[in-house]
Amino acid sequence: MAVQREVWLNMIEQNLFDDLLTKVQGALKDDSAFIYSGGGVTTIHIPNAGAPASVTEGNTTYPVSTSERTDADNYYSLTNLEIGPIRVGWNNTKQLSYDKEESVLNDNLQGLSLRAARNILNGQYHYTAGKYVATTGASEVGHAPGATGNRKAFTAYDLEAALAIMDKQSVPANERALIIDSTMFWQLMNDLDFNADRLPVQPIGGLGSIDLYGVKIIPVVNAVFATAAGVVRAAGNAGAATDQAVALLLQKGCTSFGMSDIYANVSDNAPGMFGNTYEASVMVGGKYRRSDKYGIIPIIQANA
């Protein structure tokens, strides 16, 4: 009787991760160099100029009164993110057809990078009257983690409304970006798909490099989520039924983040583990750069 043979491939299908950190790093202002120049830095301070002096016209009384400008201190702290340790037993290093150690290390590095990027985005978010926009489109199913019910879709009008606020803030027109989750992105694309003559409208560039109204559109798997009261949800939070997804319109010079290198540690023949352990950590933080929050316009899902 013939014996049936089975074949195990010598490679493993890796877990999938959104390359969010690379996308965020390109759109935001990076303060990471100050982490290393200061040594042991846990807080980054960003001095903000106070209100400028008023201009007088037709003054005839001298000397004029003198005043001082009171500057502000805007700052954010770095926090440690850690992953692992993950054990890989000696039997798994010898008996498997694929390299499990390399796969676990990839999980640690990619997972930590993704979480760091989510933390950086959350730090840019704010909920300030007159400085955010609510979506106005057709009813769509809510897609924030834990959300139920319907929300209004993201439309080109919503982006225009956010740009109008940014223009009134005298924010530079260059280096503007919209970081938007994939669901809201396709809502926007659907809104742009046909004009009044039912002719397809194609934004400039390909997916991932789309330019619309001078804004670089950056689609990501998940961006920012907030409660119905406008409080940001921490990355990894299960969320609630009333939560809302948020897109961020950003001007690079109005953003800030700092991040250390990712430190990976491999303990070969870890005592008591009968194998090796793998762990990684990083220090990261971020915040809107200006204390007046100019240059960052959250576009928040409204209830349908």
Side-chain angles (χ1 to χ4, degrees):
M1 178 179 177
V3 178
Q4 292 183 338
R5 300 178 62 189
E6 295 182 358
V7 176
W8 283 75
L9 300 182
N10 61 357
M11 63 185 72
I12 185 173
E13 286 298 311
Q14 301 283 5
N15 290 316
L16 300 177
F17 296 91
D18 181 24
D19 191 16
L20 182 58
L21 183 60
T22 300
K23 299 171 184 176
V24 167
Q25 287 175 319
L28 274 61
K29 191 171 181 65
D30 191 351
D31 292 329
S32 299
F34 296 102
I35 297 176
Y36 300 100
S37 63
V41 171
T42 58
T43 302
I44 294 179
H45 293 264
I46 309 169
N48 275 223
S54 57
V55 177
T56 61
E57 182 175 349
N59 184 56
T60 59
T61 304
Y62 299 94
V64 298
S65 60
T66 303
S67 62
E68 291 188 3
R69 192 184 73 182
T70 302
D71 296 337
D73 175 24
N74 189 30
Y75 64 91
Y76 61 93
S77 297
L78 305 179
T79 188
N80 58 305
L81 299 178
E82 299 164 346
I83 190 168
I86 304 297
R87 174 184 173 274
V88 178
W90 290 324
N91 60 322
N92 285 333
T93 66
K94 304 297 184 183
Q95 299 174 355
L96 296 178
S97 63
Y98 60 89
D99 191 339
K100 186 166 184 176
E101 293 173 295
E102 181 182 356
S103 180
V104 168
L105 184 59
N106 178 74
D107 275 3
N108 283 358
L109 296 179
Q110 295 296 325
L112 203 58
S113 295
L114 179 59
R115 181 59 176 268
R118 291 290 307 282
N119 280 31
I120 290 169
L121 280 184
N122 281 354
Q124 313 306 313
Y125 170 82
H126 64 84
Y127 187 67
T128 308
K131 297 177 184 178
Y132 70 86
V133 168
T135 58
T136 60
S139 179
E140 299 280 355
V141 176
H143 63 277
T148 60
N150 291 352
R151 307 288 186 273
K152 293 183 179 180
F154 190 107
T155 69
Y157 172 81
D158 303 327
L159 177 57
E160 292 169 5
L163 286 168
I165 294 175
M166 191 174 281
D167 290 341
K168 289 181 180 179
Q169 295 171 345
S170 297
V171 171
N174 65 317
E175 295 189 303
R176 294 182 179 184
L178 177 70
I179 299 180
I180 182 171
D181 71 54
S182 55
T183 301
M184 297 175 83
F185 169 78
W186 288 114
Q187 291 171 359
L188 174 61
M189 293 298 99
N190 181 63
D191 184 54
L192 292 170
D193 196 25
F194 291 98
N195 57 26
D197 298 319
R198 305 301 291 170
L199 299 174
V201 177
Q202 296 296 330
I204 300 171
L207 182 61
S209 61
I210 292 172
D211 188 297
L212 183 63
Y213 307 140
V215 176
K216 183 178 181 181
I217 311 297
I218 305 176
V220 299
V221 175
N222 291 305
V224 176
F225 302 107
T227 70
V231 179
V232 70
R233 283 287 187 197
N237 190 289
T242 56
D243 280 4
Q244 305 153 318
V246 181
L248 295 177
L249 176 63
L250 310 167
Q251 200 283 331
K252 186 172 184 177
C254 298
T255 65
S256 180
F257 80 93
M259 180 177 170
S260 72
D261 293 331
I262 295 179
Y263 298 98
N265 181 56
V266 179
S267 295
D268 292 325
N269 304 319
M273 292 293 103
F274 299 92
N276 307 328
T277 59
Y278 300 81
E279 58 192 18
S281 64
V282 67
M283 295 289 290
V284 66
K287 193 179 182 182
Y288 41 84
R289 197 168 195 85
R290 299 178 55 87
S291 54
D292 56 18
K293 305 171 187 175
Y294 282 9
I296 299 181
I297 313 297
I299 305 175
I300 305 172
Q301 283 182 328
N303 289 327

